[in-house]
Amino acid sequence: MYSIKMFGVREEEITIAQNWAAENNIKLSMTKEILTMDNLAEVNGFDGISLSQVGRLPDEIYPKLAQMGIKQLAQRSAGVDMYNLELAKENGIIITNVPSYSPESIAEFTVTTALELIRRTEKIRQRVASHDFSWEPIIRGRVLGNMTVAVIGTGRIGQITAKLFKGFGAKVVGYDLYPNKELTDILEYQDTLVDAVKQADVISLHMPAVKENYHAFDYAMFKNCKKDALLLNMARGSLVDTKALLQALDEGLLQGAGIDTYEYEAPYMPKDFSSKEITDELFLALINHPQVIYTPHIAYYTDEAVKNLVEGGLDATLEVLNTGDAKTRVN
């Protein structure tokens, strides 16, 4: 019987993991703590590890894991930018992810946020709370079907997002390093990122967090936006230079933003800070900006996604233990 250690476990994941362990005859141990050098000793005696890391895993941990006989780390998310993939490989450690756990969940949340920005629902609710029921241009919305949406990154999530926007009647353009010919009836691919951005009323990001995409949306890129454009980032925080975004909003380079992922979110996600101090001034500026709808990396968060992430991470762990490799290997 194999034994697996799960780190970063939330209460809602426990029953799902226990049921999986019973079905697969696995001895399972769980902790709500993430894996660090301080609790590394807890790995001793286990065959495999399933993780839900948010922040960067220390480089010094990989050789230590290798010494313990650990051959894999199964991340319970699509993103793996918290790992040093090459260093893991050098130490004989296979990194896996869950590449598709519910793309519909993220796509639907993306469109939901777009509609909130377009129809100014945050501002309307604020005025209603103060009993201001007047009609003024400040709360006047637009029609999504008359807009152009740029979907940046047309993988699983981007494809569904494009289809949903298309369903509202919007014109959809796309940009991807590897265009998908099967999507040409849904969107029009543009030759460059700038070409896509320049014509967009809504810019929806669905790119991976690779070094080539780091701060792809910086101040220079925002200068290409329409002044009434809206930016949506339900992908990875590092795609957007947050300081530049706030400057662009303040200077009127674009109208608003829906941000679900923040580049320095690791100390705060997913934790309750209602009685704690937030020391990150940039984060505070982001969540308090009147033109930003901020949500705490929650676009994926549905019943289906939680179940698929737990089971997907554990399935990958068991696959490596049984075969020495995995279909969802990323290094």
Side-chain angles (χ1 to χ4, degrees):
M1 176 185 289
Y2 288 126
S3 60
I4 295 175
K5 180 77 173 184
M6 285 183 72
F7 288 88
V9 180
R10 300 191 309 276
E11 188 70 29
E12 63 187 326
E13 297 177 312
I14 293 175
T15 300
I16 300 170
Q18 288 173 335
N19 290 340
W20 180 93
E23 292 171 3
N24 290 276
N25 192 31
I26 297 295
K27 179 183 177 182
L28 190 64
S29 176
M30 293 176 272
T31 176
K32 65 180 181 181
E33 303 299 326
I34 63 170
L35 178 62
T36 66
M37 289 298 295
D38 293 335
N39 61 11
L40 181 59
E42 295 182 23
V43 173
N44 272 315
F46 286 92
D47 300 303
I49 302 177
S50 171
L51 305 171
S52 186
Q53 294 292 121
V54 178
R56 187 78 172 175
L57 196 69
D59 284 350
E60 60 266 29
I61 213 166
Y62 297 99
K64 297 289 186 182
L65 288 168
Q67 290 171 13
M68 294 177 175
I70 296 298
K71 302 294 184 182
Q72 57 71 230
L73 295 174
Q75 173 68 14
R76 300 194 302 277
S77 74
V80 290
D81 49 304
M82 60 287 295
Y83 299 102
N84 186 328
L85 300 182
E86 285 303 315
L87 187 56
K89 188 174 182 179
E90 289 173 13
N91 284 275
I93 297 173
I94 294 171
I95 306 289
T96 59
N97 69 344
V98 186
S100 182
Y101 43 90
S102 182
E104 297 84 0
S105 298
I106 299 171
E108 289 173 7
F109 193 86
T110 300
V111 176
T112 297
T113 305
L115 288 169
E116 288 195 283
L117 287 165
I118 291 166
R119 294 307 306 265
R120 304 177 188 269
T121 55
E122 288 274 302
K123 188 65 177 178
I124 292 170
R125 282 192 286 265
Q126 291 170 7
R127 288 163 66 94
V128 169
S130 62
H131 297 174
D132 182 352
F133 310 125
S134 61
W135 298 347
E136 294 180 296
I138 193 172
I139 58 170
R140 190 173 65 211
R142 300 157 70 187
V143 176
L144 175 55
N146 295 335
M147 302 170 80
T148 296
V149 178
V151 175
I152 312 301
T154 57
R156 295 181 182 90
I157 299 168
Q159 290 176 31
I160 297 172
T161 303
K163 290 176 183 177
L164 291 176
F165 278 123
K166 185 74 171 181
F168 279 89
K171 175 184 177 182
V172 183
V173 298
Y175 176 73
D176 198 299
L177 290 175
Y178 306 97
N180 185 341
K181 294 180 181 179
E182 297 180 1
L183 300 180
T184 53
D185 60 332
I186 300 169
L187 56 81
E188 299 175 16
Y189 277 108
Q190 305 300 299
D191 293 332
T192 69
L193 178 56
V194 171
D195 288 339
V197 168
K198 279 185 173 180
Q199 59 186 295
D201 300 295
V202 177
I203 304 162
S204 191
L205 307 187
H206 302 285
M207 298 183 291
V210 296
K211 61 182 180 179
E212 292 81 7
N213 292 336
Y214 177 75
H215 283 185
F217 280 76
D218 55 13
Y219 187 75
M221 182 60 71
F222 290 130
K223 285 185 175 181
N224 296 298
C225 294
K226 292 183 177 181
K227 294 187 182 302
D228 58 356
L230 304 169
L231 177 73
L232 305 170
N233 185 13
M234 312 300 157
R236 307 302 293 179
S238 62
L239 301 178
V240 176
D241 181 339
T242 307
K243 185 176 180 180
L245 169 63
L246 298 178
Q247 182 181 353
L249 290 169
D250 290 341
E251 294 180 0
L253 298 183
L254 70 165
Q255 186 182 90
I259 302 297
D260 189 59
T261 57
Y262 168 59
E263 57 186 323
Y264 308 117
E265 68 184 21
Y268 303 103
M269 304 300 130
K271 301 173 185 175
D272 182 357
F273 265 75
S274 57
S275 60
K276 301 176 184 178
E277 181 183 5
I278 295 177
T279 58
D280 184 339
E281 295 297 329
L282 184 61
F283 186 33
L284 287 171
L286 176 71
I287 64 179
N288 292 319
H289 198 285
Q291 292 162 263
V292 173
I293 293 178
Y294 171 78
T295 49
H297 207 140
I298 210 165
Y300 84 95
Y301 193 53
T302 60
D303 296 342
E304 177 185 19
V306 171
K307 184 175 187 292
N308 289 342
L309 284 168
V310 172
E311 294 180 348
L314 290 169
D315 285 342
T317 305
L318 185 56
E319 184 179 5
V320 174
L321 293 177
N322 281 331
T323 71
D325 207 345
K327 293 185 291 294
T328 54
R329 180 176 184 163
V330 295
N331 69 335

